[in-house]
Amino acid sequence: MDSKISDKLKILADAAKYDVSCSSSGGKRKNDNKGLGNAEGMGICHSYTEDGRCVSLLKILLTNFCIFDCAYCVTRKSNDVQRAAFTVQEVVDLTINFYRRNYIEGLFLSSGIFKNADYTMERLVRVAKKLRQEHKFNGYIHLKTIPGASDELIKEAGLYADRLSVNIELPSEKSLQSLAPEKNYGEILVPMGSIKDQLVQAKEESKLFKSTPKFAPAGQSTQLIVGATAESDQQILQLSDQLYKGYSLKRVYYSGYVPISTDSRLSIITEPPIIRENRIYQADWLMRFYGFDVKEIVDEQHPNLDLDIDPKLSWALRNRHAFPVEINTADYEMILRVPGIGVKSAKKIVSARRFAPLQFDHLRQMGVVLKRAKYFITCQTRSLQRQDFDSEQLRRKILFGDGSVRSALLTQQLDLFRQVG
Amino acid sequence: MYFYTYDGSFEGLLTVVFEAYERKAWPTAIEQEHLAQPSMFGENIRVVTDEQKASRVWQGLQRKLSAAALESLYYTYLWEQAGFERLIFDYARLVFDSAESVEGNYTAPFILQVQQIYKQVHREKHRMEAFVRFQKTADGLFYASVSPDFNVLPLIVRHFEKRYADQRWAIYDTIRRYGVYYDLKKTDFVQLENPGLTPKQQGVLKASEYDENETKYQLLWQVYFDNVNIPERKNPKLHLRHIPKRYWKYLSEKQPRLH
Ligand code: SF4
């Protein structure tokens, strides 16, 4: 049986890996039944893949048999791959045993559509239920909802899962029609909307009754594939913005399309657009934590993010009139907009300047990247920059340094989750 | 010139602060007894740890500092790098001598430094919580050995207690040669002095002591790790930044493949 399990794990982990979400944060489930596990607060990355992504959850498909034929997906019906299916018990055993050894924070279970949507969804729910009820498991559970599954099943899933997700995958209706003909936007957005309503309702009720069962306490998320179809960054980010605002999504994940499929319906690329994906994450970060509106990041004139520089610097170069910012008096919000100053340094600045007027040396010690920031700030009206540069000159100076001629693209860090500096 | 020595405990160090104020004799150096060289010049003051004096100092600090600042002082103690006593002393002194709160005054070098130490120790704590790998023994104990850069064992107990309430577990620090053991009710600090063993062998399990399924799950974890990777996205630099090589020894996925 051992080699059988290991063969299944090979196939079903491999098939699940293109879903980039592996977050286990935002949970509120405490271990108050002397059971196993705890999913409070921030999730932990227990390892990192060789491509530098966090490994936090056991992320697998229940099965990679699928009746659908979505062009971008390895699991699509017409693709010639080995198929496998776990039993409910096998998934439960793997999760518990990995968790007990501190390999993982919990389970992220998704699936190809086997027979029909409800049949598949019902099994996903069974895994979660078994973990919670028979094993008193309080670790993190993220369930993917199967497109077309009934409302009741999704509701039940929310009782056991910390997070639910409905993947949109393709950033426009048009692309969806051509690449995933069996799906449609309505079918995706309906469950998303009903999860949102459940979340709101559970929150309301828990104000009234202490014992209201929790519903997906870590909220819902989705994933968009970048680069498989022709959408601009503006289209993608506007969609995310709507999802954050309209559906209260906790996270939108972006997955640079890995050309795994030779399906003729797809745009032809040879490498995953990793830098573009990274820029989109940075832009997403700006919208969620830096108080930027999507319109400030991309617009009709600039529908795509600059690949050479991060979107915050890009905004600063387009809005020179907002600078220089005086570190000793400017609002926190404005300090946060200075290239080279992140959330942490901005907080330190605001705290420290209550004690003494800040000098450039203080900033350096606090971790401000002066190489960047110096063009945009003054300290007690002093500037490190004697000359005035126009935006184009600045861009070049920041990219290539004052003398060097390295290609910026080659030296870019490809850290997906690096904060925007 | 006043040369203080103490027994190396946190309470001992707080007692030093108390004594220094009592005598108005500001330390030239503070050292642990077993490391100190008596000085020929100046006065050697050997401080005996006194719970009451220590707690008076601590309460004094509590009145003027937030929980977070107190925590970073304790972290500085666990940091254990040369000069930590001095930092804690200087910090405490600034607190006692200032009418207003000194917290967040990152223009004072040692306040910024304590804050940076807090970050370092916190990072190590976090890494231990992430990279500890338990192995199940034949008698059902989940066991891990670690060798952290800083003395973080006291800091990670809460985390593991909350997480593994229903299994017996132990974590052993092979550098500092003590461990923590949870017996389903409470967690104790334990020494593992196995007389027949050299220091290096303390706390190392033999293959025969494992649960029969232990290797199977290590193998399955390796299989999982190998198959979540996306080769087209390989990025060794980023990988190494997240898991520096010195942590690989804990990780079964970084060991030769089992079969
Ligand atoms: S339904 Fe899901 S698993 Fe099936 S082909 Fe489409 S994306 Fe892949």
PDB file of all heavy atoms in Angstrom, chain B residues 116 140 162 205:
ATOM      1  N   GLN B 116      16.631  45.795  17.194  1.00  0.00           N
ATOM      2  CA  GLN B 116      17.143  44.926  16.130  1.00  0.00           C
ATOM      3  C   GLN B 116      17.431  43.517  16.644  1.00  0.00           C
ATOM      4  O   GLN B 116      17.209  42.528  15.952  1.00  0.00           O
ATOM      5  CB  GLN B 116      18.396  45.545  15.506  1.00  0.00           C
ATOM      6  CG  GLN B 116      18.033  46.657  14.530  1.00  0.00           C
ATOM      7  CD  GLN B 116      19.141  47.672  14.323  1.00  0.00           C
ATOM      8  OE1 GLN B 116      20.155  47.673  15.046  1.00  0.00           O
ATOM      9  NE2 GLN B 116      18.966  48.552  13.352  1.00  0.00           N
ATOM     10  N   GLY B 140       5.794   6.382  21.166  1.00  0.00           N
ATOM     11  CA  GLY B 140       4.779   7.402  20.899  1.00  0.00           C
ATOM     12  C   GLY B 140       5.181   8.829  21.230  1.00  0.00           C
ATOM     13  O   GLY B 140       4.351   9.725  21.202  1.00  0.00           O
ATOM     14  N   LYS B 162       0.285  24.776  22.428  1.00  0.00           N
ATOM     15  CA  LYS B 162      -1.032  25.058  21.869  1.00  0.00           C
ATOM     16  C   LYS B 162      -1.318  24.136  20.687  1.00  0.00           C
ATOM     17  O   LYS B 162      -2.435  23.735  20.452  1.00  0.00           O
ATOM     18  CB  LYS B 162      -1.109  26.517  21.397  1.00  0.00           C
ATOM     19  CG  LYS B 162      -1.333  27.474  22.550  1.00  0.00           C
ATOM     20  CD  LYS B 162      -1.837  28.819  22.055  1.00  0.00           C
ATOM     21  CE  LYS B 162      -0.702  29.638  21.507  1.00  0.00           C
ATOM     22  NZ  LYS B 162      -1.056  31.001  21.146  1.00  0.00           N
ATOM     23  N   LEU B 205      18.725  10.211  18.485  1.00  0.00           N
ATOM     24  CA  LEU B 205      18.011   8.942  18.522  1.00  0.00           C
ATOM     25  C   LEU B 205      18.623   7.917  17.577  1.00  0.00           C
ATOM     26  O   LEU B 205      19.109   8.268  16.508  1.00  0.00           O
ATOM     27  CB  LEU B 205      16.548   9.147  18.124  1.00  0.00           C
ATOM     28  CG  LEU B 205      15.610   9.796  19.125  1.00  0.00           C
ATOM     29  CD1 LEU B 205      14.173   9.652  18.638  1.00  0.00           C
ATOM     30  CD2 LEU B 205      15.758   9.171  20.504  1.00  0.00           C
TER      31      LEU B 205
END
